[in-house]
Amino acid sequence: MPNEMAAAQDGLSPASAGRSTLSVHVGPLAGGPVRTLRPNAPHLAASTMKVAVLAALHRSGLDLDAPVPVHNSFVSASYGPRFGVSREEDSDPEPWQALGSERTLRWLAGRMIVHSSNLATNLCLSHVGPAAVAEVWQLARARHSVTGRGIDDLRARAAGVVNLVTAADLARLLRRLPQELLDLLAANAHRVDLAAGLPPGTRIAFKNGWLPGVRHSGGIVYPPDAPPYGIVVCYSGPLATGHAVDDPAARLLARISAGYWARRHELGTPGDR
């Protein structure tokens, strides 16, 4: 990450116009949210779309331990020429070192989530297909989120094919994940934004995403002295520099996370307000 070049110029991003949109969805794992702020506002998904790809892969019935070719040539959602992922913009070098060889889908899924590999994401998506990811969003009762294309499919993006997420939809998806997938999310190596706002060592199963103009993070927090709670914060605006760590938007999300951690004992009773 950032997972797509020139994302700040996308028409859905408010960054180039100097505007900001902040969305929040916080609450218990059962029942309605306790705190929300613009929970249904659509944002460019960035790497949060990888959670939906993971869920689709998990329920696909594919043999996740079967080796598959590692390549960088994908069919565009616009049915034009094939495209590839930008190596320079990918945060994980490991899958690139496997080009021309084989790795298992389970290994690729791990790189996709733990290290946010863009190449591994497109490989996983190419095996399950966008229809399977759309079904995952449907089963989660998502209202506005969509995963219409792979990462760096610039031709499809230019044709209007989008990857969108809302804070409410991402919260719904996270609450449906089985423990096996939550354990994978808990291994996320990018311990910034939401994780940075928690006391060291606090368990959080989460996925974040960033690119110029966008910083999102959503997960489930497991306090030792209170019931677990879900928290999703999506930010689109000029604070998001696209840097992995040194990002003002990441610090904003960390402050929001710390604020809800301080009120974690109040998050066990649902009630949208």
Side-chain angles (χ1 to χ4, degrees):
M1 279 184 304
N3 68 0
E4 291 183 339
M5 297 176 290
Q9 279 70 52
D10 194 299
L12 285 168
S13 174
S16 59
R19 295 179 288 110
S20 298
T21 300
L22 179 67
S23 300
V24 179
H25 189 289
V26 183
L29 303 189
V34 173
R35 297 287 188 273
T36 63
L37 175 69
R38 291 185 286 274
N40 297 310
H43 298 259
L44 295 175
S47 284
T48 59
M49 54 95 68
K50 296 171 182 177
V51 180
V53 175
L54 176 69
L57 189 66
H58 179 78
R59 66 186 304 273
S60 68
L62 295 171
D63 182 359
L64 302 187
D65 294 312
V68 299
V70 178
H71 58 82
N72 188 27
S73 179
F74 305 100
V75 177
S76 172
S78 67
Y79 303 104
R82 297 176 73 90
F83 72 97
V85 177
S86 168
R87 186 170 188 162
E88 293 73 22
E89 297 293 327
D90 203 337
S91 61
D92 184 14
E94 289 293 325
W96 293 95
Q97 296 172 11
L99 276 176
S101 62
E102 294 183 333
R103 293 292 186 271
T104 67
L105 286 171
R106 192 180 305 279
W107 184 86
L108 290 168
R111 303 309 300 192
M112 172 177 70
I113 296 300
V114 178
H115 299 280
S116 207
S117 166
N118 293 339
L119 179 59
T121 299
N122 278 13
L123 287 165
C124 290
L125 181 59
S126 70
H127 281 274
V128 298
V133 183
E135 187 174 1
V136 161
W137 284 120
Q138 183 179 17
L139 290 171
R141 297 184 179 179
R143 298 176 182 174
H144 306 286
S145 297
V146 61
T147 305
R149 55 178 171 81
I151 295 170
D152 286 344
D153 187 352
L154 303 184
R155 181 184 179 93
R157 190 187 71 184
V161 182
V162 294
N163 292 333
L164 298 178
V165 72
T166 72
D169 287 346
L170 190 54
R172 293 182 183 103
L173 177 59
L174 289 165
R175 286 163 55 171
R176 287 184 57 89
L177 295 181
Q179 190 61 49
E180 176 185 353
L181 301 190
L182 291 173
D183 289 343
L184 187 59
L185 290 173
N188 186 347
H190 297 282
R191 314 298 291 185
V192 290
D193 43 65
L194 292 185
L198 302 174
T202 302
R203 179 177 171 84
I204 175 173
F206 75 116
K207 184 73 190 79
N208 36 19
W210 58 90
L211 49 82
V214 172
R215 168 69 70 161
H216 309 325
S217 194
I220 297 175
V221 181
Y222 298 86
D225 58 351
Y229 62 91
I231 176 169
V232 180
V233 183
C234 298
Y235 171 84
S236 297
L239 286 179
T241 63
H243 297 142
V245 178
D246 188 19
D247 178 14
R251 295 193 289 272
L252 170 63
L253 267 62
R255 291 196 298 272
I256 293 171
S257 178
Y260 282 112
W261 171 265
R263 291 177 282 170
R264 62 194 179 277
H265 298 289
E266 305 171 14
L267 302 180
T269 303
D272 192 2
R273 59 182 184 273

